[in-house]
Every structure is written in structure tokens, then in C-alpha cells.
Amino acid sequence: MSLSSRVAGTTQVITVGADRIDAAMAIQFKEDMRAETEGGPERVILDLSAVEFIDSSGLGAIVAAMKQLGGGRRLDLAGLTPVVEKVFRLTRMDTVFTLYPTLDDALSERAE
Amino acid sequence: MPCPSARSDPGRDWTGVERLQDQNRLELCFPATEAAASAAIATLALRLGARGLTEERAADVKIALAEAVNNVVEHAYAGLEPARVRVECRLRPDRLDILIWDTGRPLPGLRVPAGEPASVDRDLQDLPEGGFGWFLIRQLSSAVGYERRKGWNRLSLRFDLGGPRGHNKAPNQPSCRRKGGP
């Protein structure tokens, strides 16, 4: 799983470098997210703009990644492509996460 | 009907090769592993997209197909020696039929699950990390069928395509009520 991370002020930005988060990589994604976010800033933005496809396993892995952040920290999602956005909307996970059209919007907290 | 070679010899005849019978028929057989399924789903979606499905409908098909194939890999073959999965797509101007065969365990009760969505109206730590597969399949497809015969499972997914592979009608309404939301 290809994740890259940088810290911008009090926010950590994690960019997914893969074109999909599916059953074949869900467990690895969850583990890599745990490693990347351990002891980091309170707010984490997951940049999904390169991810063209997600299935329910990938969705579950993102939920798991938010849970393992622990109390007081939050995981926001940015740059959802149409298919990814659709899976979040159908499962109503769009009501659980704050979604931003782009990473820039997320950094300036302009929610869609 | 299933291809005779695949039906008579599901485990050996097929080695992950793609078979294109004609312009409107697409078959793929692959080992029931997550990695092979991931690649197969991407290949099938690409091929279907190239045959004129609208981007939106192609996305619906890809999501539903992925969930159906993942179910086979994760549940039908759970604890069994993984065999193969065969997917056949038949494309007509007004509909796409996808048939998925495997030799794993039958669906519980020999029925397609109702696909009630897991509730997200709960505390963070209680949020569901799964249980959306059948819900998505039912939401995105126009009809779902299942047959168990001679050790085979056959799941059929139908996708109505409005017009000549153009825009489809709205997806089926969920069987359950959505709380809140549009």
C-alpha cells in the first residue's frame, strides 16, 4: 500500500498513492494507516484523489483507520473520485466523515 | 447456459485466461484469491467500459461485481481449498447480465441475502466495518438471482441500461428505509 504523509501545521495529510482500496489491500491499508498516524496531530486528512475505486472492504478499512486514531482525533476525507463518493453515499458513510472536494478545501476546511 | 467446458471442469480448464467469444460476450476465469479477484474486476470493468456503457453505469457494475466476487472469495471458499471463479458478461443494447460461478459453499438458506445495510447511526467505535456487500449489490443492480446446482453456485446480476447502452434508470430503491439523508 502506497501512503505518503506530511504534517502541515496541526494537520497531518496522508495521500493514498494507489488507484484502489479493495479487499486485496484493505488489511495492509489499515496497518499502514496505524503506523502513519501513531502519535500524530489531532486532525488527519486522507487524500483519496488518486483512488478510482473502493469496495466495501476498503470502506471498512477507512472506518477502522478512523477508529484506531482514538478519541479526540479525527479523520477527514478529501478528493473523493465519483465511484468512491458513490460508495460513501450509498452506505451513508458520508454522514460519518467530513468530505471535502479537494485537499485544498480540506486544509481550509471548506466542506462540500 | 454456462459454457460447457467450464461447467464440466471448473477447476482445471481455466487458468485465468480471458475468453472473448464475440463483441458482446466476455468471460474471465481466475483463482479465488483476493489478488486475482482484484485484477479480474479491474480487467472486466475496463472491458465493459470500452463497450459503451456510460461511465456511471460502468461504475455501478464494477462496484456490484466486486462485492459479489469478494463474497465468493471470502465466504463461499472460506476454509476450503480455493478453486476458481468464473465470470461471464453478456451485453445487450438494453441490459447487461453478469453470471458468476463458483464451486464453494452455497449461500445460507440457498437465498440471496436481503442486503439490509449496516447502521451508521452509532458511536464511532461501534461503526460497522463490513456488512455492506449485499446491500450495494442490491442497490446497484436491477435484479439478483441465485441458483445452486451440482456443486455450483451461480449468481446472476442484471443491469438495465436505458437506451442503446446509454443512461440507465435509477437504481433499485433499497428495501429498507433510509433514515435521514436525501
Side-chain angles (χ1 to χ4, degrees):
Chain A
M1 192 81 214
S2 153
L3 297 182
S4 58
S5 170
R6 67 186 167 92
V7 174
T10 56
T11 300
Q12 180 180 13
V13 176
I14 298 177
T15 303
V16 181
D19 67 352
R20 59 193 166 204
I21 308 176
D22 63 9
M25 52 191 73
I27 290 171
Q28 191 64 50
F29 172 81
K30 186 175 156 181
E31 285 175 7
D32 291 353
M33 281 294 288
R34 186 194 298 277
E36 290 288 355
T37 58
E38 215 156 30
E42 191 176 295
R43 184 179 185 221
V44 178
I45 300 171
L46 187 63
D47 179 3
L48 293 168
S49 53
V51 180
E52 289 163 17
F53 182 72
I54 194 168
D55 63 11
S56 62
S57 300
L59 178 75
I62 291 179
V63 173
M66 179 165 69
K67 287 185 187 176
Q68 68 197 13
L69 280 181
R73 297 175 72 195
R74 67 189 234 243
L75 181 65
D76 292 342
L77 308 180
L80 278 72
T81 58
V83 179
V84 176
E85 196 270 339
K86 184 161 202 171
V87 170
F88 273 81
R89 182 163 44 79
L90 287 170
T91 58
R92 295 189 58 236
M93 282 296 176
D94 61 341
T95 65
V96 171
F97 294 88
T98 305
L99 312 183
Y100 295 91
T102 67
L103 180 58
D104 282 346
D105 292 323
L107 287 168
S108 54
E109 306 218 32
R110 289 192 300 263
E112 50 189 5
Chain B
M1 290 300 292
C3 160
S5 64
R7 190 160 57 162
S8 59
D9 192 0
R12 281 176 289 166
D13 259 1
W14 298 73
T15 51
V17 292
E18 182 182 346
R19 303 213 323 183
L20 290 169
Q21 268 86 1
D22 60 57
Q23 186 64 25
N24 296 315
R25 198 156 156 206
L26 177 60
E27 290 186 30
L28 199 60
C29 192
F30 49 94
T33 64
E34 286 175 344
S38 176
I41 291 157
T43 299
L44 284 164
L46 202 67
R47 296 282 185 279
L48 287 169
R51 287 175 197 206
L53 255 66
T54 62
E55 208 168 300
E56 188 186 357
R57 202 54 171 154
D60 293 350
V61 171
K62 186 176 184 182
I63 296 166
L65 174 66
E67 298 301 335
V69 170
N70 288 343
N71 282 338
V72 171
V73 173
E74 290 167 24
H75 300 298
Y77 286 122
L80 301 176
E81 185 70 30
R84 295 187 180 279
V85 185
R86 186 164 83 86
V87 179
E88 178 183 344
C89 305
R90 300 173 188 170
L91 188 58
R92 300 182 205 168
D94 61 339
R95 66 189 265 186
L96 167 68
D97 290 287
I98 297 186
L99 306 174
I100 301 166
W101 280 273
D102 69 80
T103 54
R105 289 196 187 78
L107 283 176
L110 298 176
R111 267 198 300 244
V112 179
E116 298 290 339
S119 170
V120 301
D121 300 315
R122 48 188 63 201
D123 291 340
L124 172 68
Q125 291 302 328
D126 297 326
L127 282 172
E129 293 175 34
F132 290 112
W134 285 108
F135 171 71
L136 289 170
I137 292 168
R138 285 196 179 273
Q139 282 270 292
L140 297 168
S141 62
S142 308
V144 186
Y146 171 71
E147 193 178 15
R148 174 77 179 182
R149 190 182 288 180
K150 294 179 182 170
W152 277 88
N153 295 310
R154 189 189 80 163
L155 188 76
S156 52
L157 308 178
R158 195 187 88 214
F159 299 87
D160 291 336
L161 315 168
R165 286 175 207 173
H167 254 282
N168 51 285
K169 69 177 179 65
N172 280 351
Q173 290 304 305
S175 55
C176 50
R177 298 276 179 274
R178 282 174 54 151
K179 275 185 266 175

